[in-house]
Amino acid sequence: MAGPRVRLVITADDFGYCPRRDEGIVEAFLAGAVTSVSLLVNGVAAESAAELAGRYQIPTGLHANLSEGRPVGPARHGASSLLSPEGFFLGKMGFREAVAAGDIALPQVREELEAQLIRFRELLGGEPTHVDGHQHVHVLPGVCQVFAETLQANGVRFTRLPVERGVGGCAWLEAPAHAFACAVERDARAAVGPFSRYGLRWTDAFVGLSTCGRHMSAHRVSGALARALEGIPTGHALTAELMAHPGYPSVPPAGGCGEGPDAFSCSWERLHELRVLTAPTLRARLAQDGVQLCTLHDLDSKRPGEGVLGEATLETFLEPSPPCP
């Protein structure tokens, strides 16, 4: 009998953001609907989340955060290019604007990443299975270089490359979400060089920009994986990651990273993702499509120049998505 065509890691982001979020993530993990989590070490529930990860042996990585809440590194003690005058990170778009303007001191990025890795080890008592970026900050120009250097120096091998094939053609995304997804994908493609030079690994394919929140459905997850498989020769097993944000909605003031929970955290969309992930429909659709759920430890994830895909196939995978308006 042929093996699975896709081996899929389903990662729940924002673990530690709020107890209600974490309750939903653990529920999804115990149901077999999530196989990995990414922890926000500056989240208000980071300590209790770490305890849950240990209790249930949940594979846990670091969700490096440079855009929301308060820092954990030296920046918290004084002025920093990473922070507003009030002492908070600059926000999802504010940080991107500051990077584009050249206003971010990259040595301060390195200090904060190092501090978050130290805090992760304090909370979990071990190394992260992977490090990715909250709101995809890790693929931004300049930041991606420092990120890759820091991961290599700390012995971290796995990260996320948020390149989702065909995301530019996903007409169901509202204009702001569509523009953000296209910008993230462009940055991620440019980050391949630095990530490769420092020996980082990532899955062959990524899904999640087109299936976030209200847009998640079994049909759309299946369709995104099908797009990733286009042009892949029969017999090649593809590794993939589905980024997810399941959980029960936050109830202010509980939650967040020092500023309270954001609107997405308080919305029904988190619960919607939890329901889609744990429903039999998605599991049945994935099995029908030849998808096997795995952890990062189970995967022979792509190392630049190695892995299950040859160079020609990798070039096919990294072909540009349909142009974004």
Side-chain angles (χ1 to χ4, degrees):
M1 179 179 177
R5 195 154 186 220
V6 179
R7 293 181 292 163
L8 179 68
V9 174
I10 302 181
T11 305
D13 286 359
D14 304 336
F15 200 44
Y17 192 88
C18 129
R20 286 176 55 80
R21 169 78 52 75
D22 298 343
E23 179 186 351
I25 289 174
V26 171
E27 181 180 314
F29 175 77
L30 294 177
V34 158
T35 63
S36 174
V37 300
S38 290
L39 175 69
L40 286 162
V41 296
N42 72 332
V44 297
E47 291 188 10
S48 59
E51 191 277 328
L52 289 169
R55 184 193 311 172
Y56 295 110
Q57 299 184 9
I58 305 174
T60 304
L62 172 64
H63 205 41
N65 184 3
L66 301 171
S67 58
E68 182 177 358
R70 294 191 182 277
V72 301
R76 71 185 189 277
H77 298 305
S80 169
S81 68
L82 303 179
L83 305 180
S84 69
E86 294 74 32
F88 296 108
F89 286 132
L90 300 174
K92 176 180 175 178
M93 301 311 297
F95 181 70
R96 283 171 161 77
E97 292 164 2
V99 168
D103 294 336
I104 296 297
L106 294 178
Q108 293 175 346
V109 169
R110 187 190 309 275
E111 288 179 343
E112 181 61 25
L113 291 173
E114 292 276 6
Q116 291 189 20
L117 282 162
I118 290 169
R119 181 59 177 150
F120 183 96
R121 296 183 191 109
E122 291 172 349
L123 289 169
L124 274 295
E127 300 297 324
T129 58
H130 64 278
V131 180
D132 53 34
H134 184 49
Q135 299 170 340
H136 308 292
V137 295
H138 67 304
V139 297
L140 289 171
V143 174
C144 64
Q145 173 84 14
V146 173
F147 177 83
E149 292 172 357
T150 304
L151 264 59
Q152 184 196 56
N154 283 271
V156 178
R157 298 179 300 161
F158 291 102
T159 190
R160 169 185 292 165
L161 188 74
V163 173
E164 180 177 334
R165 291 185 72 180
V167 72
C170 295
W172 58 85
L173 294 175
E174 299 88 349
H178 187 270
F180 182 72
C182 289
V184 167
E185 192 189 43
R186 284 194 298 268
D187 289 337
R189 290 175 183 275
V192 169
F195 286 4
S196 298
R197 285 195 296 274
Y198 287 92
L200 298 185
R201 300 183 184 189
W202 55 89
T203 55
D204 298 313
F206 169 83
V207 173
L209 295 174
S210 69
T211 60
C212 188
R214 71 186 68 193
H215 301 300
M216 180 176 280
S217 69
H219 174 73
R220 285 179 176 157
V221 170
S222 176
L225 289 170
R227 290 194 299 274
L229 281 167
E230 290 175 4
I232 305 300
T234 302
H236 282 276
L238 191 77
T239 63
E241 179 188 14
L242 169 62
M243 174 187 70
H245 303 84
Y248 292 101
S250 301
V251 178
C257 300
E259 300 175 274
D262 63 15
F264 184 32
S265 179
C266 298
S267 77
W268 60 270
E269 296 185 60
R270 301 284 185 166
L271 182 59
H272 172 73
E273 287 202 29
L274 176 62
R275 294 295 182 241
V276 172
L277 289 168
T278 55
T281 305
L282 178 60
R283 186 70 61 86
R285 185 67 176 263
L286 292 176
Q288 179 183 336
D289 294 343
V291 177
Q292 179 184 54
L293 300 190
C294 298
T295 69
L296 280 174
H297 288 303
D298 299 325
L299 298 183
D300 181 18
S301 294
K302 188 194 71 57
R303 185 198 297 272
E306 299 179 4
V308 297
L309 298 182
E311 289 184 5
T313 307
L314 181 58
E315 288 171 4
T316 299
F317 165 66
L318 288 176
E319 282 177 354
S321 295
C324 296

